[in-house]
Amino acid sequence: MANVTFDIMWREGMMELLDQLEAENPEDSALAPKDLSEWACIYIRYIQILRKLETAYDQMVHPQKRLDMRKALEACIGRTLEVRHWMVKLNRGLDFVSMDDILVDLKLTPEVLEVPVPKYFIEDRAKELDDRDKFLEALVEKYNVKPSQPDPIIKIGAPLSEEEAIAILQKNERGRQARERCRVLAIVKKQRQIEDRRSSMGVPLSHDEAARRIQAAVRGFIWRRRIQKSSDKELEFIGMKPKPRDPKKDVRIGEAKNLMRRKRIQLEHMREHDEAIVALKSKVRELEGQDMRETIQDRVNGWFVEKRNAETGEYPEFPEPEDGGSKVILNPPLPSIASLLEDGGGGKAGKGKGKAPAKKDDKKKGKGGADDNAVVEEKISSVFVPSIESAVHEFVAKWQDRDETDNFFQKFDQELVKDELRPIVFEEIRLAVDEEMRVLLQNLKDMVEAEHAAKLGKKGKKKKSKKKKGKKDKKGKGKKKKDPTADRSIESLFAELVSNGILVPCPHMHVRDYLGSSSFMQATMEKANVIPDPSMAQIRQAMTEYAILPLGSQYIHERAPYTKSVLLFGAEKTGKTLLTHAVANLAGANLFDLSPRNTDGKYPGKNVNMLIHMVFKVARTMAPSVIYLDEAEKVFLSDKKKLKEFGSQEPYNRIKKELLKECKGMGQGERVLLIGNSREPFMCVKKDEKAFMSFWSKHIFLPSPDYASRKVIWPGLFERYGGKLPYEFDLSTLSHITEGYTSGHLDLVVHSLLTKRRLERLKTEPPTIPEVIQWLCKVDPMSKEQDEQLRKWMDKTPALAFVKGGAKPAAEKKGKGDKGDKKGGKKKK
């Protein structure tokens, strides 16, 4: 693709963003979106714009355009997350919104809802992440840390002894020899039958007759092959069969090479831009610095004359650096509305009359505050709307009508760089002039004092200049928590966590590796008052929006709706760990494993507090970070009998107290996310269940794949391990047969089936359903009892409990329930 293509994509994206803002806030308030379906259309449109801007930003080679486009892209991501959270509120708190009927009305495919993950999360930090990974690998080798990884191959049985192995080999060899003898005897028997037939006929075949029969057989084979080829061509032409790919003429390979070439050009242009900034900054200072200095000095000198006391001749105090210094003189603040009203009121009586009604109104508001709050409707947050507007205005002013006919190679523009550097140079010169003018002002004051002293007949003594002392920060009443690792560097803490296997290397997983399709019956089921399971595509979408996008950008995390922790619960091998690794990998985050089995035997006794403190300190300092908690339900168990059954060295719930304290201190902008995995959340009961459920911000259920998802998973798994299902393979039957199996079970089957030897024979012997079933029989599907227990627990989550049982929403419980519970507890006592 050419540079113009991505310029057009950027232009279209910016204009569409402007249209979106107008659609959200029309002049006629009656046309504003209100219900869920209208906001869903806006949400789909934002995702389309986001995909367009992300593609343009990824391939744009002009460095200054990329800097401006980055602002629009992050603002678009933030607005998408705001709309997403607002849709969840309109959907009664349910995280998964059914939009299949809306897609049908808009004539769009489900792939439109796949939220793209910006590549710049990783690429812009490539050097930093590469250095971190090298440091981590060096520490792993130094301390000989071996991460425990489950064996992905199905174990057929226990290892055999030498005698048993020899007996099996002898048995197989005898069988092979017997089969070979039978094959030879069958050939001899067939030849005898042919000879007997010829002798019974009495007339042996002539050479011509034999040649004709051979020719007929060969011609029949050739024509059958021609007919098959013509049939395949016809099916390819009408789109019933995929065309065979030629690696030399594959368009996608050529496009991938072109994109990689653009990446190299992009890095070169960015390097040239960074080098030019240094050179042009000194040039701007050299050519325009003197004029800037004189302008500032003239304005400040004029201010000295204007503010000087005409009677005493005293000069005013120069503004302190904390107040802005000469910036207050150069750009005086606008008068406030209150001061303008006071000037217009004229006189004390006017002021008094103006203030009296306000007090009465305040009293009335205080009495009727509850009624006012009830009338006010909750609105969607609009934190990112000003950012979008400023990005659009900047694009229109700078790039929309810019003539770039002379910039074919899309290199940086020197004039734009100078325009960006002038305010920086001006600020540096202003700070230098401020110091000079403070010295000059002090000298002038000393001269005035000397004149006054001379007039009074006294010696002119220099008074000490009164300096305003900076206001000391008032210490809070509560004592700050002491840092037990204040004398240690982050590198030493990082190395200690790696040596103990707490900070682990993150596998290179992508959220698209969680294979699965969208569901096409969710809206129909909701109309029948049935809450459907989330589809695999919806789970990918939720993890991208709740975890990856906020973690990947500091700007987004500080302003977007905050998600502190996410719980992924489901049966074994449903993809919980895969999604956790994908979040950490795509956000470029550190991965801390605080799972009970991983921390067992490490930091015994009270040292566990030090462990939690170190993890959160390193996670905050080296953000973004993901703290992984596998088997999270065991951390919240208080039943000592159950804890003893696990056979651990120390109770698994020993990190609970300190973990809760640290999580309470987490806030926006820290870019630390806690992800818990649970296969048995129903293990927590009563108080433990309440504490466990209220700890997580989001509860995401991972069900077993449905029929549509299994039809996507099987081909995807074969391609993942180097194989490919033939066109004639009966995928529909295999998808029906494997109902009840999780995606991890299917992955296990394919990985065990496609051995190195089997991959070599795939072209001549394609896989068959009986062969797959042979391996599938060695895996047990998910039990119905476990599925029922998981669904019962899912019904107790805050959103589903409110929808099904009429319980109070989580927001009301947090706002009002806390005080009420405390008071109620006192009365019972």
Side-chain angles (χ1 to χ4, degrees), residues 175-337:
R176 189 193 66 79
Q177 292 176 2
R179 287 192 295 272
E180 186 66 22
R181 286 195 296 270
C182 290
R183 190 181 65 82
V184 173
L185 290 173
I187 292 171
V188 172
K189 185 178 180 181
K190 192 173 183 180
Q191 288 177 349
R192 284 177 183 173
Q193 287 176 354
I194 293 171
E195 290 174 0
D196 291 343
R197 196 181 304 158
R198 287 176 182 174
S199 61
S200 63
M201 290 173 63
V203 182
L205 285 173
S206 63
H207 289 288
D208 294 340
E209 183 64 24
R212 274 196 300 272
R213 292 191 179 184
I214 292 171
Q215 286 175 357
V218 172
R219 287 194 187 103
F221 171 75
I222 292 171
W223 276 103
R224 282 192 296 273
R225 191 170 63 178
R226 285 179 183 175
I227 291 169
Q228 182 64 37
K229 285 184 178 180
S230 64
S231 177
D232 291 344
K233 285 183 179 179
E234 184 179 352
L235 291 174
E236 290 172 7
F237 179 73
I238 62 177
M240 295 292 290
K241 188 176 181 179
K243 294 181 181 180
R245 295 175 186 170
D246 185 4
K248 296 180 180 179
K249 298 180 180 179
D250 195 348
V251 179
R252 294 186 299 177
I253 295 175
E255 185 180 359
K257 290 180 180 178
N258 186 32
L259 296 182
M260 291 302 294
R261 180 184 61 82
R262 294 184 66 86
K263 281 291 178 185
R264 289 194 296 271
I265 296 172
Q266 190 181 96
L267 292 174
E268 290 175 6
H269 288 187
M270 187 60 71
R271 179 179 53 79
E272 292 173 1
H273 176 254
D274 294 341
E275 292 173 356
I277 287 176
V278 179
L280 290 174
K281 187 176 180 181
S282 59
K283 191 174 182 180
V284 169
R285 181 186 289 275
E286 181 182 350
L287 296 177
E288 305 177 21
Q290 187 61 33
D291 294 338
M292 293 179 183
R293 178 181 290 274
E294 291 176 0
T295 302
I296 297 170
Q297 288 175 345
D298 292 343
R299 292 286 298 275
V300 173
N301 289 330
W303 183 80
F304 286 166
V305 175
E306 181 184 351
K307 298 294 181 180
R308 186 181 181 184
N309 193 328
E311 297 177 359
T312 60
E314 294 181 354
Y315 287 93
E317 292 290 337
F318 198 83
E320 294 294 327
E322 295 82 6
D323 300 330
S326 61
K327 194 180 288 184
V328 180
I329 302 171
L330 299 173
N331 300 310
L334 296 172
S336 62
I337 297 174

Side-chain angles (χ1 to χ4, degrees), residues 56-262:
Y57 178 79
D58 182 55
Q59 293 301 316
M60 187 75 72
V61 296
H62 197 296
Q64 291 158 309
K65 288 182 181 178
R66 281 174 57 82
L67 293 174
D68 290 340
M69 200 187 304
R70 171 81 171 266
K71 300 174 186 176
L73 178 57
E74 291 194 335
C76 182
I77 293 173
R79 187 57 182 166
T80 305
L81 297 181
E82 286 180 340
V83 175
R84 161 75 178 190
H85 281 72
W86 181 246
M87 287 168 59
V88 170
K89 287 185 179 180
L90 296 178
N91 197 35
R92 301 171 295 175
L94 300 175
D95 290 309
F96 302 103
V97 182
S98 303
M99 289 186 277
D100 43 325
D101 54 344
I102 298 172
L103 291 175
V104 172
D105 294 339
L106 296 175
K107 297 180 181 180
L108 297 173
T109 58
E111 287 75 18
V112 173
L113 296 176
E114 292 287 344
V115 182
V117 179
K119 299 181 184 67
Y120 74 85
F121 287 172
I122 302 295
E123 292 177 355
D124 287 6
R125 300 173 55 215
K127 190 177 184 306
E128 174 193 344
L129 296 178
D130 188 45
D131 294 341
R132 187 193 71 185
D133 291 343
K134 287 179 181 177
F135 183 51
L136 186 58
E137 288 175 7
L139 291 173
V140 168
E141 290 179 5
K142 179 181 177 181
Y143 296 109
N144 196 20
V145 180
K146 295 181 180 179
S148 58
Q149 295 181 352
D151 190 3
I153 306 297
I154 297 173
K155 295 179 180 179
I156 299 174
L160 301 173
S161 63
E162 186 177 353
E163 295 177 354
E164 291 174 339
I166 291 171
I168 289 173
L169 288 173
Q170 288 176 345
K171 185 178 179 180
N172 288 338
E173 180 60 24
R174 291 192 190 102
R176 189 193 66 79
Q177 292 176 2
R179 287 192 295 272
E180 186 66 22
R181 286 195 296 270
C182 290
R183 190 181 65 82
V184 173
L185 290 173
I187 292 171
V188 172
K189 185 178 180 181
K190 192 173 183 180
Q191 288 177 349
R192 284 177 183 173
Q193 287 176 354
I194 293 171
E195 290 174 0
D196 291 343
R197 196 181 304 158
R198 287 176 182 174
S199 61
S200 63
M201 290 173 63
V203 182
L205 285 173
S206 63
H207 289 288
D208 294 340
E209 183 64 24
R212 274 196 300 272
R213 292 191 179 184
I214 292 171
Q215 286 175 357
V218 172
R219 287 194 187 103
F221 171 75
I222 292 171
W223 276 103
R224 282 192 296 273
R225 191 170 63 178
R226 285 179 183 175
I227 291 169
Q228 182 64 37
K229 285 184 178 180
S230 64
S231 177
D232 291 344
K233 285 183 179 179
E234 184 179 352
L235 291 174
E236 290 172 7
F237 179 73
I238 62 177
M240 295 292 290
K241 188 176 181 179
K243 294 181 181 180
R245 295 175 186 170
D246 185 4
K248 296 180 180 179
K249 298 180 180 179
D250 195 348
V251 179
R252 294 186 299 177
I253 295 175
E255 185 180 359
K257 290 180 180 178
N258 186 32
L259 296 182
M260 291 302 294
R261 180 184 61 82
R262 294 184 66 86

Side-chain angles (χ1 to χ4, degrees), residues 347-377:
K348 295 180 181 179
K351 291 178 186 177
K353 290 178 182 177
K355 288 181 181 178
K359 290 180 180 178
K360 291 180 181 178
D361 292 343
D362 292 339
K363 289 179 182 179
K364 288 179 182 178
K365 285 180 183 177
K367 292 179 181 178
D371 296 332
D372 293 343
N373 291 334
V375 173
V376 174
E377 294 182 2

Side-chain angles (χ1 to χ4, degrees), residues 17 84 95 124 287 305 314 322 335 350 357 387 448 514 559 609 665 697 740 745 767 800 813:
L17 275 177
R84 161 75 178 190
D95 290 309
D124 287 6
L287 296 177
V305 175
E314 294 181 354
E322 295 82 6
S387 302
V448 171
Y514 184 72
R559 294 163 178 80
N609 297 342
S697 305
H745 290 149
L800 281 174
K813 288 182 179 179

